[in-house]
Amino acid sequence: MKKMFNRIKNNIFIYDILFIITNILINFTLYLMNIRFRIWMIILIIIISIIGFIIGIFQQLYISSNNKIKVVIFSLLGTIPIIILISVFMPFISFVAIFSYRPEHITTLDNKKYVAVVSSFLHVDVDYYDYYNFLLMGTKIKVHGDFGKGGYDPFENPNIPESVEYTYYDNNEKIKSKRKELFIKDKDGNIINKYNYDINIDNSNDFKENNNYLLPENEEVLYEKKFDNTILRFGKVDNVLGQNMLVNVIRSKDNGENFYVVSDDVIQVSNEAKFVFLNENLGFAINTGEIFLDNRKTGLYVTNDSGKTFTSANFKYTNENVEYISIEEVPYYENNILKIKCSVYQINSNKNGYENKELLFTSNDNGLTWILENN
């Protein structure tokens, strides 16, 4: 027994085999408890196992050979093909590693500590797992964060996303709730505030009231338009910094008996915003009444799907002497042509003062693009 122990003690290869078997058993036991090692620990175990295996083989060759020098020389020569193979395949290995690597972050969400695993090739997704300690994490996804399109790490670049949708799972990995988090940014693009609201996951129309969500019938009505039995409203969801508010669209198809939220997301507009629906699908929200020519902020929101989604309208107008044009009236139809009246305060034709010049824009794509009409 003592001889066997001494033989094992001086045999790195056997040590390595025991190390591998022990880690397999530990990992199997942890998985039974829905726990696993963190990725850096798994990589470290693999590296130690590989190095131990190679050194163990060389050690056994050295011990069993009568010509020690020859073994050392062959061992050194044997490493050369390995180095060459690694060098040849390194670009491919690096390429695969870049697209398969999923960075981990220790973070806190809803006052609970998680290990967040980021996947961000064309779409940014974050899976949140239970955090146990610096070595261990859970195996089941507890929360999934959808940060939208892109290829960035939201923990290293927190000001990039506009919003995030969180999906919460129970212990059986079934969806139990969803929550939307909308980020409010300053003019430099830095997040200064955020707004949360729950998402109905059963697609019924029975919304649960809570501190962060208003039932549709309780929203302050900013604008209302009726089309037969369909009623569309712009409703105020909440106030935000800078004399602004968050609004959405709610709709009734039974002449006002029941109202349901239409908008996928709320939009931020000033407290002086104006609204209009020209038909059941086409609607507009005028933010501040000013269209900045450098597109620093959205001046006119347009929806072509009853308020489900909103797009920033584009104005084809160039004037190097002014920063913005003013919207004078909400969009309207004239002889089946969509128009909007604007104005610009500019230097007059005599170059000795200023004048307020009227501008008339028309749109051929339901308000997405506006072109100046020839005067």
Side-chain angles (χ1 to χ4, degrees):
M1 187 72 180
K2 186 176 180 181
K3 290 182 178 180
M4 183 179 294
F5 177 77
N6 290 330
R7 186 177 179 183
I8 294 175
K9 185 176 67 173
N10 297 317
N11 194 322
I12 295 177
F13 182 77
I14 295 179
Y15 266 120
D16 187 64
I17 296 299
L18 291 174
F19 177 78
I20 293 172
I21 294 173
T22 301
N23 277 284
I24 290 174
L25 292 175
I26 291 174
N27 276 276
F28 178 73
T29 304
L30 290 174
Y31 266 99
L32 292 178
M33 299 184 290
N34 295 317
I35 301 173
R36 71 170 177 86
F37 284 121
R38 300 271 307 281
I39 188 65
W40 69 266
M41 185 63 182
I42 293 174
I43 294 173
L44 180 61
I45 291 172
I46 292 173
I47 291 174
I48 292 174
S49 300
I50 293 172
I51 292 175
F53 183 82
I54 294 172
I55 294 176
I57 293 294
F58 287 158
Q59 183 193 47
Q60 292 306 304
L61 291 174
Y62 183 82
I63 293 174
S64 60
S65 176
N66 295 322
N67 192 334
K68 309 295 185 184
I69 297 177
K70 185 183 290 187
V71 171
V72 172
I73 293 173
F74 276 109
S75 297
L76 292 175
L77 292 175
T79 59
I80 295 176
I82 297 175
I83 295 173
I84 293 174
L85 286 174
I86 293 174
S87 300
V88 170
F89 287 100
M90 184 56 69
F92 175 75
I93 295 172
S94 300
F95 179 81
V96 173
I98 289 173
F99 288 100
S100 61
Y101 175 63
R102 301 177 67 197
E104 294 180 357
H105 301 274
I106 306 301
T107 186
T108 300
L109 181 66
D110 304 324
N111 298 318
K112 184 177 179 180
K113 207 168 187 179
Y114 291 99
V115 177
V117 181
V118 180
S119 177
S120 57
F121 177 43
L122 298 176
H123 197 279
V124 182
D125 295 284
V126 179
D127 292 326
Y128 296 79
Y129 299 86
D130 285 331
Y131 171 86
Y132 292 101
N133 53 51
F134 72 101
L135 289 176
L136 302 174
M137 61 184 285
T139 60
K140 293 185 177 181
I141 299 174
K142 294 299 183 180
V143 186
H144 174 77
D146 182 354
F147 287 78
K149 295 180 181 179
Y152 61 92
D153 189 324
F155 296 95
E156 295 180 358
N157 301 279
N159 290 314
I160 292 181
E162 299 294 331
S163 63
V164 57
E165 181 177 303
Y166 292 109
T167 302
Y168 295 83
Y169 299 90
D170 60 19
N171 291 331
N172 296 319
E173 296 186 293
K174 292 183 178 180
I175 297 175
K176 63 179 182 179
S177 64
K178 285 188 176 184
R179 176 172 65 86
K180 190 82 170 185
E181 192 169 275
L182 177 70
F183 300 120
I184 310 301
K185 300 183 180 182
D186 59 19
K187 63 180 181 179
D188 297 320
N190 297 314
I191 296 174
I192 57 175
N193 202 352
K194 57 186 177 182
Y195 172 78
N196 295 286
Y197 63 93
D198 292 337
I199 298 174
N200 185 34
I201 60 173
D202 58 8
N203 293 322
S204 67
N205 291 307
D206 301 322
F207 291 88
K208 294 182 179 180
E209 188 173 9
N210 57 51
N211 294 330
N212 294 319
Y213 186 81
L214 284 174
L215 292 172
E217 56 266 27
N218 293 335
E219 290 187 19
E220 179 184 341
V221 179
L222 303 172
Y223 171 87
E224 180 179 288
K225 183 72 173 181
K226 186 175 181 181
F227 301 95
D228 296 326
N229 290 327
T230 298
I231 299 175
L232 290 167
R233 288 177 176 175
F234 275 93
K236 181 178 179 180
V237 178
D238 202 358
N239 292 306
V240 292
L241 298 175
Q243 299 297 309
N244 293 313
M245 59 183 171
L246 300 175
V247 303
N248 64 0
V249 174
I250 56 180
R251 177 175 59 191
S252 171
K253 289 190 173 183
D254 52 12
N255 204 27
E257 291 189 19
N258 298 284
F259 280 91
Y260 310 114
V261 175
V262 177
S263 302
D264 288 341
D265 292 310
V266 294
I267 58 172
Q268 178 178 316
V269 295
S270 74
N271 290 338
E272 307 301 322
K274 296 179 180 179
F275 311 93
V276 66
F277 267 103
L278 299 182
N279 55 49
E280 286 192 39
N281 296 312
L282 180 60
F284 298 91
I286 300 174
N287 186 359
T288 62
E290 298 171 343
I291 303 296
F292 285 89
L293 302 184
D294 60 0
N295 298 316
R296 73 180 70 168
K297 66 167 65 173
T298 298
L300 179 66
Y301 287 99
V302 56
T303 177
N304 282 287
D305 50 17
S306 303
K308 180 177 174 63
T309 59
F310 283 89
T311 304
S312 178
N314 181 28
F315 282 75
K316 299 294 185 180
Y317 178 76
T318 303
N319 190 332
E320 297 179 354
N321 298 317
V322 297
E323 292 185 0
Y324 64 88
I325 58 177
S326 300
I327 298 176
E328 299 296 331
E329 298 180 11
V330 296
Y332 62 96
Y333 277 109
E334 183 178 86
N335 298 325
N336 293 322
I337 299 175
L338 186 59
K339 298 183 178 183
I340 188 171
K341 289 183 180 179
C342 300
S343 66
V344 60
Y345 190 65
Q346 63 179 17
I347 298 175
N348 60 28
S349 56
N350 296 325
K351 309 295 183 181
N352 58 2
Y354 287 85
E355 65 177 356
N356 202 37
K357 183 180 179 181
E358 183 178 285
L359 303 174
L360 184 63
F361 291 87
T362 61
S363 176
N364 296 318
D365 56 4
N366 288 328
L368 297 174
T369 307
W370 295 90
I371 300 172
L372 182 64
E373 189 177 73
N374 293 330
N375 296 330

